[in-house]
Amino acid sequence: MPDQSAVLDDVRRGMIPAHIYNDAEVFALERERLFSRSWLFVAHESEIPQPGDYAVRRVLDDSFIVARDEQGEVRVMFNMCLHRGMQVCRAELGNASHFRCPYHGWSYRNDGRLVGLPFHQDAYGGEAGFRRKGQTLLPAPALDSYNGLIFINLDAQAPPLRDYLGDFTFYLDYYTKQSESGIELRGPQRWRIKANWKIGAENFAGDMYHTPQTHTSVVEIGLFREPKAAKRKDGATYWAGAGGGTTYKLPPGTVDERLAYVGYPFEMVERMKQMWSPEQLRVVGEDGFMISAASVFPNLSFVHNWPRVADSDDVLPFISIRQWQPISENETEVLSWFAVDAEAPEQFKKLSYKAYLMCFGSTGMFEQDDVENWVSLTSTAAGSMARRLRLNSRMGLLDDDTEVTPALPPEQFAGPGVARTGYSEANQRELLRRWADHLEQPAGDGAVAR
Amino acid sequence: MSSTDTYSSRSPLGAHAPRQQRTGSTLPFSDERHLLAYQWLVDETYLLDAQDYQAWLGLLSDDIHYLMPVRVTTALGAGFDVAPGMAHFDEDKYSLSRRVARFATEHAWTEDPPSRMRHHLSNVRTFATEDPDHLVVDSAVLLFRNRGDVRESALISAGREDLLRRTADGWRLARRTILVDESVLRMQNLAIFL
Ligand code: FES
Ligand SMILES: [Fe+2]
C-alpha cells in the first residue's frame, strides 16, 4: 500500500485529490480502516415487526440476516453456514422460524442457534465429536440501535452507537421520532450506479450550492417551491457528532404554523410537540429552520422535503432514508427507503409516499439529475490527469482559513454542533476529515485487517 | 385470473385504477382485436424510443394507473414477490404529466444529452374482457439504453400487463403493470418509461 499521507493532508485542507473518487487502492484502505470500524446501518425495526421476520442485508461483501427471534429480540447474523459455508438464507426478506442450509441440511433457529444436524450420531459420534450446544451463526461483532434504526459494527470494541452518533441524535429525531411509535420504513428500492459511494454522502451532508443549479427543473415544473437560489442560502447547515445536514429557512410564524407550512396536519404537529425537546422545537419555531438533507458518517443519508403532489397549492412532506453501499471504487448500490411516522393518518401516508416517488429514489425527479452528475464525476476521476487535479472544496473559507460566514450564535440556532447560513462546504470537509482520520489509522485489534 | 392485476389493486396508490380483467384464453393472432393491440404497442415503442413523451402522454387515459413494483427475492411459497407498499413507479396522470413536463424543460440534465434507447417488444398476446371496449395485453419489453461514449450500456427486462380502452379518439392505455426482472436495477435511474 503506497503512503497516502500527502492525499490525506490535501483532503484536510479542503483540496481533494480527484482520484479518491475512483481509486482501487483507496477503496482497499476504506475497507480495511473505515468500514471495518464504523457503525453501519442495516435495517429499521419496522421492517421486521413480527417474530420470525427477517431481511438480508450486506456490509460490503458480507451478507447478514437481520431477524426478529421468537422472543422479539433483533439478531444480526453472518449469513454463512458453520459447516461448509453455504448461505443459509437466500431470500431478501420473509418470515421463518428456522433457516435450513440447502447444502447438507444443518438448521438454525431464527436466533442463530444450531438446532439440527443430520446424522449427528453417525457422522460425528454425537456430542462427543461435535458439540451442537452453543453453536450459532456468527453474530455481528457489535449491534446497537437508535429510534429503531439498527446498526452493526465489524469492530467488537467499537464505542456504543450513542457515543458514535453524538449530538447528531438531536437532528435524527426530526426524521425518526415524530410520535411515540416512531417511523415505519417501506422498500428499499435498490439500484446500482457507477459512482463512488462518498459522493452521495457528501452531497446529502451539505451541498446546498448544487440545489438551484442541478434541480432547476423541479422548480420550473412546480414540484418544489424552495430551491430557488436566494432561498437556499438562507438555510442553515449544521454539523454535530457523526453527522451533518442542511435546512431551509421558513417564513415567519410559530412552530405550529411552520410545521403546517411544510404540510404536516394538526394531529401530527401535536405529537411532534410532545416528542421533541424545547431546543428541538426552538430550531423550528423560533430560529425558523426546517431539516432537509443530512448524512451520518460514513454512508447513511436522510432527506425531508415538501413538494406538491397534486394540481393544487398544497405541499406534503416526505422522508427518505438511504444508504450508499459500496460495490467497488466506482460502483455503489443505492438502497432508498420511504419512511413515515407510524401514527400518521392513512391518507397522509399515501400522499407522502407519492411525494417520495416523485422526488427521490430510482424514479425520483431530484435523484435522476443527482446521479447523472455523480456517475460522470466518477468516470472522469479514473485517469492519470485526475491524479494531478485537486478539487476545490474550500467554499466558505478565506485563504487564511477564516470563515466567510461565522457560525450562528446559540440565540439564532438552538441546536448542538456548529451551524451557519450561506453557502459553504464545511460539512463536506467535516465528512472527509473523518474519512482521512480513519484511513490514517492502521486497523486495530478489534477490526480484522485484510 | 390475471396474475398481475393484483399488484395494481394492492398498491397504495391504486384505488382509482380501472379494474377490468382478462377473460378466456389468448385471442387468435389473426383476431382483429389482437392486431389492433399489437400495433398500438409497436407504435408506442417508437414514441418512447424517440422520447416523444408529449405524444405518449396523449395516449394515456385520465384515470391511468402506471405501476412498476419493486421486485424482491423471496422463498418459493412465500406468497409475494414484490416489496410490500413500495414501487419504482406508482403513478397517476398528474405525476406522469410532471415527469413529462420536466423532460420538456431545458434543465433535465440526466437526459441532456439524451440517451440512445431501443424498446424491444415481444411475446405480445391479447385477451378480451367482459367489456368490449377494453382489452388486456401482455408483452415483454427489453430496454437497451446507452449514454455518452465511455459508459457501459444498460438493460432493463420486464413483463407488462396493459389495459387498453377504446375511446372516441382511439385506443388509450388505462392501466399498466410493469414487472421488472431484477430486484436490484442495473441502470443509473429510471428517467425513462417502459
Ligand atoms: S454447508 Fe451448510 S450444512 Fe453443509
Ligand atoms: Fe440533489
Side-chain angles (χ1 to χ4, degrees), chain A residues 93-95, chain B residues 7 10 72-75 77-84:
Chain A
L93 76 167
N95 183 285
Chain B
Y7 297 109
R10 281 184 210 155
V72 288
T73 309
T74 53
F80 67 104
D81 61 1
V82 299

Side-chain angles (χ1 to χ4, degrees), chain B residues 91-108:
Chain B
E91 308 293 304
D92 58 13
K93 187 83 178 253
Y94 175 75
S95 60
L96 288 170
S97 80
R98 292 303 84 201
R99 294 179 185 282
V100 169
R102 194 180 89 82
F103 287 126
T105 71
E106 286 173 7
H107 307 106

Side-chain angles (χ1 to χ4, degrees), chain A residues 357-369:
Chain A
L357 287 181
M358 289 174 77
C359 293
F360 279 88
S362 50
T363 52
M365 286 184 263
F366 279 82
E367 190 120 27
Q368 288 178 7
D369 289 326

Side-chain angles (χ1 to χ4, degrees), chain A residues 5-211:
Chain A
S5 53
V7 169
L8 303 184
D9 288 346
D10 283 338
V11 165
R12 289 195 172 101
R13 57 185 186 95
M15 295 303 292
I16 315 296
H19 68 89
I20 70 164
Y21 297 108
N22 194 344
D23 184 319
E25 282 170 355
V26 168
F27 184 59
L29 265 192
E30 291 171 350
R31 245 180 216 290
E32 179 196 310
R33 299 183 174 184
L34 193 163
F35 289 101
S36 60
R37 55 187 171 201
S38 297
W39 282 101
L40 303 168
F41 177 72
V42 287
H44 186 267
E45 287 180 17
S46 64
E47 296 182 87
I48 47 167
Q50 302 300 327
D53 285 350
Y54 67 85
V56 173
R57 296 280 149 78
R58 272 181 309 109
V59 170
L60 299 181
D61 300 325
D62 293 324
S63 171
F64 289 94
I65 306 171
V66 184
R68 192 177 288 277
D69 71 18
E70 300 304 316
Q71 276 65 52
E73 199 177 321
V74 172
R75 308 275 186 167
V76 181
M77 303 160 281
F78 182 41
N79 185 11
M80 189 175 201
C81 182
L82 298 178
H83 177 224
R84 302 297 304 150
M86 176 72 191
Q87 273 194 307
V88 297
C89 181
R90 291 167 301 141
E92 282 169 58
L93 76 167
N95 183 285
S97 60
H98 291 78
F99 300 103
R100 180 184 296 277
C101 179
Y103 203 171
H104 311 93
W106 288 23
S107 63
Y108 303 85
R109 204 164 286 180
N110 55 19
D111 61 6
R113 270 183 296 165
L114 174 66
V115 289
L117 198 159
F119 309 109
H120 187 207
Q121 190 60 41
D122 299 340
Y124 293 93
E127 292 288 308
F130 185 91
R131 277 179 62 83
R132 224 172 0 185
K133 204 166 140 47
Q135 298 279 350
T136 68
L137 292 172
L138 282 191
L143 166 65
D144 211 340
S145 70
Y146 182 80
N147 288 354
L149 301 163
I150 305 164
F151 290 76
I152 65 171
N153 199 311
L154 300 182
D155 180 359
Q157 267 92 56
L161 177 64
R162 276 285 191 135
D163 297 354
Y164 176 86
L165 293 173
D167 283 338
F168 187 75
T169 56
F170 180 97
Y171 303 97
L172 208 40
D173 291 347
Y174 291 121
Y175 299 96
T176 56
K177 207 166 181 55
Q178 298 185 345
S179 77
E180 198 67 59
S181 309
I183 44 165
E184 55 189 36
L185 262 61
R186 285 198 231 138
Q189 298 164 325
R190 301 171 61 191
W191 74 104
R192 285 191 181 195
I193 62 177
K194 289 279 187 186
N196 184 268
W197 67 272
K198 294 188 284 299
I199 306 170
E202 283 185 71
N203 177 282
F204 276 64
D207 198 334
M208 300 169 75
Y209 190 60
H210 88 294
T211 316

